[in-house]
Amino acid sequence: MERNESMTKPQAMIFDMDGTLFQTETLLLPAYHKLFDILREEGLHKGETPKEELMLGCLGMLLEDIWKIVLPDGSPEAHRRADELLLQLELEGLKEPDAVLYPGVGETLQELKRRGVRLFVASNGLEHYVKGIADARNIMPLFEELYSAGQHGTASKVDLVALLLKNHGIERAWMVGDRSSDVEAGKKNGQTVIGCQYAGFGNDQELKGSDAIITSFPELLNLYENAVE
């Protein structure tokens, strides 16, 4: 755990979902391979399935931007079908026990809530996907609300977090996430940023500008305990 300076206790914590709360590859990769099998069957993709690393490197982006990288030569029809299939296959995959949260997520969230911290999610994912994970892994009741780009139609996570802060009257929050988009969303909204360095999807500069870095989710409790009122 790294910390730049003493931090102020937040009224709320806002969490990214993929790579922060949820161990995305445990759900994504099986769905990803099935998706490309179906696209080939339907004549919407030819050739091999793009490398897994390409898809994992896109986590945190909006879906329309992901397909521009993973399927750059794909037709608009192929991109739309990939959207549909990914959501369908991932929701089906949530029924399997192999799709898991990171260690300590449930217990840490429960303790933070017990201490009076308001808990939210802000994700660039689709609404049914984000809420589906929270529901399937029994953490939905811990959150005051889950915000997703898919639900609110925001163009960036900066806009999504701004909307969340405004709607809930929050002045002091910690934005907790693993991608540069999370750092940007926190900083451009004047909030503290906690970078999560345990997913391994980004590069070395991904979390530059974070106020603190954690290498396991339960370290968040120590940061909160040591923060000033």
Side-chain angles (χ1 to χ4, degrees):
M1 181 170 61
E2 302 173 15
R3 184 174 57 185
N4 295 341
E5 56 187 41
S6 64
M7 297 184 299
T8 304
K9 276 188 168 58
Q11 299 166 295
M13 291 190 193
I14 304 168
F15 298 92
D16 173 48
M17 180 62 83
D18 288 324
T20 300
L21 301 177
F22 184 62
Q23 204 164 333
T24 314
E25 67 274 21
T26 63
L27 176 67
L28 173 63
L29 294 182
Y32 180 70
H33 288 285
K34 289 178 187 175
L35 182 155
F36 274 93
D37 288 343
I38 295 170
L39 289 182
R40 276 189 289 267
E41 288 171 9
E42 296 180 352
L44 292 170
H45 179 70
K46 295 180 180 179
E48 299 297 315
T49 299
K51 291 184 181 300
E52 293 177 349
E53 291 76 17
L54 196 60
M55 185 67 177
L56 292 174
C58 292
L59 289 176
M61 296 181 183
L62 297 169
L63 269 180
E64 62 184 270
D65 296 325
I66 290 176
W67 301 128
K68 289 174 186 175
I69 294 171
V70 177
L71 268 176
D73 300 322
S75 65
E77 182 188 1
H79 287 186
R80 286 195 301 272
R81 183 63 173 141
D83 279 350
E84 295 170 1
L85 286 170
L86 188 62
L87 178 61
Q88 173 193 325
L89 293 167
E90 288 186 323
L91 291 179
E92 290 173 4
L94 282 172
K95 298 171 186 174
E96 302 297 326
D98 296 335
V100 296
L101 302 172
Y102 284 101
V105 164
E107 299 87 342
T108 302
L109 291 175
Q110 287 174 357
E111 182 60 23
L112 288 168
K113 187 175 177 68
R114 189 185 71 79
R115 296 185 188 201
V117 182
R118 299 169 68 186
L119 305 179
F120 298 87
V121 165
S123 167
N124 275 338
L126 297 172
E127 178 183 5
H128 292 302
Y129 169 75
V130 174
K131 292 181 177 177
I133 291 169
D135 191 45
R137 295 300 168 259
N138 302 313
I139 56 173
M140 181 75 91
L142 299 173
F143 295 104
E144 196 166 320
E145 196 162 344
L146 287 79
Y147 277 60
S148 62
Q151 179 182 5
H152 293 282
T154 45
S156 71
K157 188 166 279 192
V158 174
D159 296 338
L160 187 65
V161 170
L163 182 66
L164 188 161
L165 294 169
K166 178 184 176 183
N167 287 351
H168 295 274
I170 297 166
E171 295 179 359
R172 293 189 325 277
W174 286 6
M175 179 70 220
V176 184
D178 70 309
R179 304 307 301 261
S180 58
S181 56
D182 299 310
V183 179
E184 181 186 34
K187 287 302 174 183
K188 287 195 173 178
N189 283 292
Q191 305 301 327
T192 297
V193 175
I194 313 300
C196 302
Q197 207 170 42
Y198 43 80
F201 298 139
N203 58 43
D204 292 342
Q205 297 298 305
E206 194 77 33
L207 298 173
K208 187 176 180 181
S210 299
D211 296 284
I213 301 282
I214 57 175
T215 55
S216 70
F217 193 80
E219 290 175 12
L220 200 53
L221 270 179
N222 293 331
L223 283 179
Y224 182 78
E225 288 170 357
N226 292 320
V228 298
E229 296 288 351

